[in-house]
């Protein structure tokens, strides 16, 4: 399809390029163009089948380790464990298939946005056709309520206004006219274009189709979504690295030990093989993946209670690593509703308090003011009501706008000024109206008035209204209009990020012409009286301001990425507390940056204004290349590619499009930016708990492996059999490991910086602790083993007590691993949660069955233990707890001392 900057071409040139006659295309030409350009339906990349995606889920080292574990369990005829491990593998594969299906869902959501019907001129007839039948060059008619069916170059407009928020992110509807604009104009400033998927709010128009299907702006976003490569989460990367290393270690160690056992110790092949099987079972943490999955699932439930709906399990943990949040402005950081925030009359400027469309809020004069100017505010508010088509009504306890948001904000302002809109309108009934037009840039109404009350009201862009006024209202009459003064006041309000409107009034008898709607002159009336200026803004959410402050305390950077104007975006950033003087960059400037320059700008800029979908995507990639873990929030179609690329895409649940939701990993049910902070807190807690689980799991497996290796090299019997190792790993992983999953957040969870992107799951401190525990576990196991053999000579009795001692040592370490060095060591801290007590109780009941119930004795080759055996096992478990706590607190004291030095 021909590619042009259509907005920079005159309407006549577009008609000529597409050879569109005034009567529209003929049937034969339509058929020919359908053949050439295809149907007006978006086509995504050819997706792979679900079976291929399912098989692909097994292609990672962690799954290989699990398969090895299940094979070992099956070899030992431990079919229950084999089934559990394979079920975990299958569950992970199903989740992966669902995740990979998100791209197809995103594309389908975009396809559904195209209106199925369109009105066209063909063969000199007005026809209703299916939108997929449109071809480039078709002459399309638009009316209020229509969804634009393709990209159109407008050739005729009548008060046309289009909501382009899904593409631009701007809360204000765009006024359209056929005038051409610069080829470099950003999408939000292309007044001569109507884009596929946007909504006609008011007016009518005729446009020529210049792009269909994937060639439209909406289709370009469609392609971006399909091309985005999703990143692995930090947890996924670390677990894969961990699994790769542990799998390689197990394979290498198994081969070497087998050769050593056969060649040096002269074990039989069968005995050597059983030795290797025991080592493999001891080394593979087969319960770890299940516990990690459950930890993430618990995090999902907790976040749902905080209005954050997680669609992808690993996103829970990734939130805990987030170092940068890129947020859309409109509707996310702001309320997505206009409000009058400042009023300027004669010698005074007023600040308007309040939120939303409610009538509550005072008008406070700024600096020196003239008390009589209050009457001028009343006159300004009266004009704002009369030159207005909107209304605000109380519904279900909330004030709701009916009509244009800007006009609704003027109604709310009038109520705050003490006027009742219905009463004002009844006293001054409207008899004529000239609606706002993008070319005229003002709205005019005439009213039936008596006496000296003005009967003409005008509202519009200040520069345009100033051309029509001759004087300014003051408390005791009028003064001459000074353009320079009022332009300066307009710029002062605009510098605060406000959208400025001017209001004026006049008398028909003073020369204001009476004209009909259709022949209203562009020049407008002359000799009006300027009443004043109003400054409007989409106000920031108070909750968002508090949330940003908490993000800053937690070391998380917040960056605003919006399609709005730079001045407005900077003002909102200041009000939100993002920076005293926000660094702002406009989207057009990004186009000229190299990759290295983009990375630098992404790091140092607070606000990115007038951005396109490509800009948002490029910014997210630049931040990620700089080492940031990025969360991207958004609600529009234009946000979808960046949402998908981000480490965590966060869509708005109420105002968000289906495309944004399908491209995201998390959806905010309440559209509240503050919910992200709660989600980050929960994500950090999840990661802490996963770290605890791993730090608690590895010493058990390591201690068992060390004991088996020591037995081999010393030529002793194995202190525990492979099937007994499986019992330990199974019962403790389920009953004890899950208690760590439900551990509450640490007190400092949101006062520490984000975890570094390359930080290992086990840092040096934890690794040292794991090695210490491996030594303690192996010493404890061998001490019990040789002690019982020396006293009784009963191998089964010795192995039974070794199993019970290892379980008790795990309980002791469990109680320690969840305590920080700064925690006070008392009974309440050790037994803080009922879940801990429940888990320990379940393990003890299972151990009783393991030791004393005949079927278990037969299955695991165990013998009953006496009272002294129990006391010895519990005592060794308590000793482990004490030694670990002592080491932990001594190390913390040494570290604190070296830090002070």
């Amino acid at each position: 399809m021909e590619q042009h900057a259509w907005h920079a071409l005159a309407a006549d040139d577009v008609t000529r390029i597409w050879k569109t006659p005034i009567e529209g295309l003929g049937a034969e030409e339509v058929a020919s163009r359908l053949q050439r350009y295809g149907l007006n339906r978006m086509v995504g990349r050819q997706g792979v089948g679900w079976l291929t995606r399912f098989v692909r889920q097994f292609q990672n080292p962690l799954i290989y380790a699990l398969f090895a574990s299940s094979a070992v369990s099956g070899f030992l005829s431990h079919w229950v464990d084999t089934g559990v491990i394979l079920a975990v593998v299958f569950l992970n594969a199903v989740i992966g298939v669902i995740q990979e299906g998100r791209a197809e869902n995103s594309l389908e959501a975009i396809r559904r946005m195209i209106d199925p019907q369109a009105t066209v001129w063909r063969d000199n007839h007005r026809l209703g056709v299916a939108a997929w039948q449109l071809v480039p060059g078709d002459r399309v008619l638009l009316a209020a309520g229509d969804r634009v069916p393709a990209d159109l170059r407008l050739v005729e407009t009548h008060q046309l206004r289009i909501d382009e928020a899904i593409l631009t992110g701007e809360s204000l509807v765009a006024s359209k006219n056929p005038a051409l604009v610069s080829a470099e104009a950003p999408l939000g400033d292309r007044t001569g274009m109507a884009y596929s998927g946007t909504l006609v709010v008011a007016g009518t128009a005729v446009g020529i189709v210049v792009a269909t299907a994937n060639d439209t702006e909406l289709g370009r976003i469609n392609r971006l979504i399909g091309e985005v490569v999703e990143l692995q989460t930090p947890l996924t990367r670390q677990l894969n690295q961990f699994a790769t290393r542990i799998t390689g270690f197990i394979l290498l160690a198994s081969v070497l030990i087998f050769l050593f056992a056969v060649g040096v110790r002269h074990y039989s092949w069968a005995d050597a093989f059983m030795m290797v099987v025991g080592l493999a079972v001891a080394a593979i943490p087969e319960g770890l993946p299940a516990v990690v999955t459950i930890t993430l699932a618990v995090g999902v439930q907790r976040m749902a209670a905080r209005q954050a709906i997680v669609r992808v399990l690993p996103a829970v943990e990734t939130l805990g690593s987030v170092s940068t949040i890129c947020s859309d402005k409109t509707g996310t950081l702001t309320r997505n509703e206009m409000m009058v925030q400042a009023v300027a009359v004669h010698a005074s400027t007023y600040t308007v308090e309040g939120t939303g469309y409610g009538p509550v809020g005072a008008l406070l004069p700024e600096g020196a003011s003239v008390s009589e100017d209050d009457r001028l505010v009343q006159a300004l508010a009266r004009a704002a009501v009369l030159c207005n088509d909107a209304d605000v009504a109380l519904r279900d306890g909330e004030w709701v706008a009916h009509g244009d948001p800007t006009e609704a904000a003027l109604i709310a302002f009038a109520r705050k000024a003490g006027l009742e809109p219905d009463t004002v309108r009844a006293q001054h009934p409207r008899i004529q109206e000239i609606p706002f037009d993008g070319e005229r840039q003002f709205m005019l109404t005439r009213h039936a008035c008596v006496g000296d009350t003005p009967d003409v009201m005008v509202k519009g862009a200040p520069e345009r209204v100033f051309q029509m006024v001759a004087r300014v209202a003051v408390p005791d009459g009028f003064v001459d209009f000074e353009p320079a003064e009022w332009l300066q006041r307009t710029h002062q309000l605009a510098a605060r990020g406000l959208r400025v409107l001017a209001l004026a009034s006049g008398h028909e008898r003073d020369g204001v012409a009476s004209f009909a709607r259709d022949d209203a002159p562009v020049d407008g009336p002359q000799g009006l009286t300027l009443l004043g200026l109003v400054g409007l803004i989409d106000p920031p959410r108070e909750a968002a301001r508090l949330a940003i402050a908490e993000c800053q305390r937690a070391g998380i950077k917040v960056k605003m990425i919006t399609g709005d104007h730079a001045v407005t975006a900077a003002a909102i950033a200041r009000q939100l507390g993002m920076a005293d003087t926000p660094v702002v960059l406009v989207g057009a400037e990004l186009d000229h940056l190299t990759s290295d320059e983009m990375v630098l700008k992404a790091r140092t800029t607070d606000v990115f204004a007038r951005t396109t979908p490509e800009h948002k995507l490029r910014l997210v990639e630049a931040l990620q290349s700089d080492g940031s873990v990025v969360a991207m929030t958004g609600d529009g179609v234009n946000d979808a590619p960046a949402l998908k690329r981000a480490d965590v895409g966060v869509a708005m649940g109420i105002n968000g499009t289906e495309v944004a939701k399908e491209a995201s990993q998390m959806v905010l049910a309440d559209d509240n930016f503050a919910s992200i902070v709660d989600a980050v807190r929960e994500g950090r807690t999840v990661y802490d708990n996963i770290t605890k689980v791993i730090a608690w799991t590895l010493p058990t497996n390591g201690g068992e492996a060390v004991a088996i290796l020591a037995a081999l090299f010393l030529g002793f019997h194995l202190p525990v059999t492979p099937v007994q190792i499986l019992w330990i790993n199974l019962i403790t992983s389920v009953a004890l490991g899950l208690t760590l999953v439900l551990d509450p957040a640490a007190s400092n969870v949101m006062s520490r910086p984000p975890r570094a992107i390359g930080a290992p799951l086990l840092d040096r401190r934890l690794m040292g602790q794991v090695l210490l525990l491996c030594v303690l576990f192996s010493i404890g196991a061998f001490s019990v083993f040789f002690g019982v053999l020396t006293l009784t000579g009963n191998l089964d009795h010795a192995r039974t007590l070794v199993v019970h001692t290892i379980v008790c040592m795990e309980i002791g370490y469990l109680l320690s691993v969840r305590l920080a060095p700064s925690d006070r060591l008392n009974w309440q801290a050790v037994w803080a949660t009922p879940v801990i007590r429940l888990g320990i109780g379940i393990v003890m009941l299972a151990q009783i069955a393991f030791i004393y119930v005949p079927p278990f004795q037969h299955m695991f080759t165990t013998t009953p233990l006496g009272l002294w055996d129990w006391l010895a096992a519990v005592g060794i478990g308590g000793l482990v707890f004490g030694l670990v706590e002592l080491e932990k607190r001594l190390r913390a004291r040494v570290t604190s001392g070296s830090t002070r030095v």
Side-chain angles (χ1 to χ4, degrees), residues 184 586-595 597-598 615 618:
E184 289 75 29
V586 179
E589 300 176 57
L590 298 177
D591 295 327
H592 307 294
L593 298 179
T594 65
S595 298
E597 290 172 338
M598 175 67 84
H615 292 148
R618 193 178 173 198

Side-chain angles (χ1 to χ4, degrees), residues 274-294:
M274 289 303 298
M275 185 79 72
V276 169
V277 166
L279 176 65
V281 172
I284 296 174
E286 61 268 12
L288 183 59
V291 173
V292 169
T293 300
I294 294 170

